Amino acid sequence: MMWKTRKTTRRSFVAAALLTAFAVPQLPVVAAAAAPVPALAPGAPGQTGTGTPDRLPAPTGKEPVGTKTLHLVDASRPDPWKPAAGKRELMVTLWYPARHEGDRNAPYMSKQLSKAWLGKEDLAGMRTNSTVGARPAGKPRPLVVLSPGFGMSRASLTGLGEDLASRGYAVAAVDHTYEAPVEFPGGRIESCEICRKYDLFPEVVRNRSKDIRFLLDQLTGPRSPLAVDARRIAVAGHSIGGASAVQALQDDPRVDAAANFDGDFPMEPAGALNKPVLLLGAQRSGNADHIGNWDRTWKQLTGWKRWLDVPEGGHMTFTDAPWLADRFGLPDGTPPDDVKKGYGTLHGPRSAALTRAYVGAFLDRHLRGTPSPLLDRPSPAYPEVTFLQK
């Protein structure tokens, strides 16, 4: 095991919460937030040597990245998880190619949301690579919608979203309200209403597909805050967000392709799905249950498809969590089996690199018509990635 722990009585809770909640796929992260939170030791990972806030890994593309936040209300339907709340509300983060790079880099999340999500304000000190409110650059862009894991904030996909934007995509990450703590304008925090209700997973997938459809209505309509190419749209997601991405691909004819990052399918597709699908998993080659779950869906996928596996990775590999764990460390006494399931033996920089490379290659192929050998055969540049089926 490559992970190191810090022998100190004052450890960050951030990585522990992420790990504990995701020791197995699709468990809510907020389940770990009830534990006491020790202070972050000065000079510990989470800060640079100068004490300035850490920043996410820089995007690999050439274009500056801007970011905006949207508060949307779907007047056509009541909230499915809390009808008393009224109409369905969503919070969305946009990343997009910007005209210039500024110095107002967005925080990873607010103090209030960091505390609600993980029980501690540490993540408010993390900085992103996106300029707040920067003007979008140029022509309409292909659109990618990102859906996070159950119990996870949309912020957990920031590194991927920024990277895609730097490569010329318009990206929208959506929080699915009452499936995780979500912050609304004015500092209002709505908590997770359905965490631990795992019997609802089929309905979660169906409801997320509706959220995504509504978001596409807003982003492709005449009042869209971004210029997007409505003829080129993909949805990708982590954990149950990945299953929801495939569901949206089936439900909405505007969606051209979908990518699932290690998310089990609560239900099989209703009939054949003749559109491109990328299944990017971790440790599935040695797990009969997870192989069986994806194999049943695989047979229903009749379009272009790939099933890739990262045996050294874990359920959180395709999110920002490995990078955050590298920065904050893991506490002594963390069960090794939990670390293996959650993260495997890959550290943050390598997890981010392979996720960006393969997701980018998939989108380039199916939204831009640019093929990549990464998706055709194993690559010596990424020996961690194996082809299970193609």
Side-chain angles (χ1 to χ4, degrees):
M1 186 67 64
M2 297 170 57
W3 287 90
K4 296 180 180 179
T5 56
R6 299 196 168 265
K7 295 182 178 180
T8 172
T9 57
R10 296 191 295 172
R11 302 181 186 89
S12 169
F13 181 62
V14 175
L18 290 168
L19 173 64
T20 302
F22 280 87
V24 296
Q26 299 173 342
L27 297 186
V29 72
V30 291
V37 181
L40 178 64
Q47 295 179 330
T48 66
T50 61
T52 58
D54 265 327
R55 184 178 294 186
L56 286 176
T60 61
K62 298 179 179 180
E63 302 203 46
V65 179
T67 186
K68 298 179 181 180
T69 300
L70 300 182
H71 174 209
L72 302 176
V73 179
D74 185 353
S76 69
R77 59 186 176 122
D79 192 279
W81 308 130
K82 192 175 181 180
K87 302 301 182 181
R88 180 68 166 168
E89 291 184 89
L90 300 173
M91 291 301 297
V92 178
T93 297
L94 302 179
W95 297 285
Y96 49 88
R99 292 185 180 274
H100 62 86
E101 183 177 4
D103 56 4
R104 293 181 58 225
N105 290 75
Y108 193 74
M109 61 174 60
S110 70
K111 291 182 179 180
Q112 300 95 311
L113 183 58
S114 179
K115 192 167 184 179
W117 192 41
L118 294 174
K120 189 172 175 65
E121 296 180 353
D122 286 26
L123 293 183
M126 313 301 290
R127 308 303 293 184
T128 70
N129 299 282
S130 306
T131 300
V132 178
R135 292 179 61 191
K139 60 187 178 182
R141 308 290 182 140
L143 174 63
V144 182
V145 174
L146 300 179
S147 178
F150 192 68
M152 294 289 285
S153 170
R154 68 188 190 275
S156 64
L157 298 172
T158 297
L160 176 60
E162 289 186 329
D163 190 69
L164 292 174
S166 78
R167 297 170 60 166
Y169 290 95
V171 184
V174 56
D175 266 334
H176 303 280
T177 313
Y178 302 119
E179 297 177 28
V182 179
E183 183 177 14
F184 288 90
R188 170 171 59 102
I189 301 286
E190 297 293 347
S191 61
C192 186
E193 292 286 330
I194 62 169
C195 287
R196 298 189 179 278
K197 297 182 179 180
Y198 310 129
D199 59 318
L200 292 177
F201 275 176
E203 189 56 34
V204 167
V205 168
R206 286 188 283 265
N207 184 66
R208 286 191 176 208
S209 179
K210 295 177 182 178
D211 287 346
I212 292 167
R213 177 184 288 270
F214 170 67
L215 175 58
L216 293 181
D217 290 342
Q218 305 307 301
L219 295 181
T220 61
R223 301 180 65 181
S224 174
L226 291 179
V228 301
D229 185 344
R231 301 167 301 171
R232 296 184 290 172
I233 297 174
V235 182
H238 169 240
S239 197
I240 204 166
S244 302
V246 176
Q247 186 67 41
L249 180 66
Q250 185 168 56
D251 292 344
D252 196 322
R254 295 172 295 185
V255 181
D256 301 299
N260 178 349
F261 312 147
D262 206 47
D264 282 348
F265 291 96
M267 55 193 183
E268 296 179 27
L273 179 54
N274 189 27
K275 292 182 180 181
V277 175
L278 172 66
L279 303 182
L280 183 58
Q283 302 182 32
R284 290 194 174 250
S285 57
N287 189 314
D289 289 338
H290 292 321
I291 282 183
N293 180 276
W294 273 17
D295 190 57
R296 289 189 292 273
T297 298
W298 181 262
K299 296 171 184 177
Q300 301 293 323
L301 305 178
T302 59
W304 185 100
K305 56 185 177 180
R306 293 291 185 272
W307 179 346
L308 308 182
D309 190 60
V310 184
E312 298 176 38
H315 188 57
M316 302 298 288
T317 287
F318 314 106
T319 72
D320 295 340
W323 184 85
L324 294 172
D326 281 355
R327 292 300 182 272
F328 289 99
L330 294 176
D332 292 333
T334 303
D337 193 50
D338 285 357
V339 177
K340 181 180 179 182
K341 291 176 181 177
Y343 296 108
T345 56
L346 290 181
H347 284 284
R350 197 59 184 165
S351 296
L354 69 87
T355 301
R356 291 172 170 188
Y358 282 89
V359 176
F362 173 72
L363 296 173
D364 285 350
R365 173 175 288 217
H366 297 293
L367 296 189
R368 289 176 166 158
T370 306
S372 169
L374 273 183
L375 299 171
D376 295 329
R377 64 188 70 89
S379 170
Y382 299 98
E384 304 93 338
V385 180
T386 62
F387 281 62
L388 292 188
Q389 296 199 56
K390 57 182 288 189

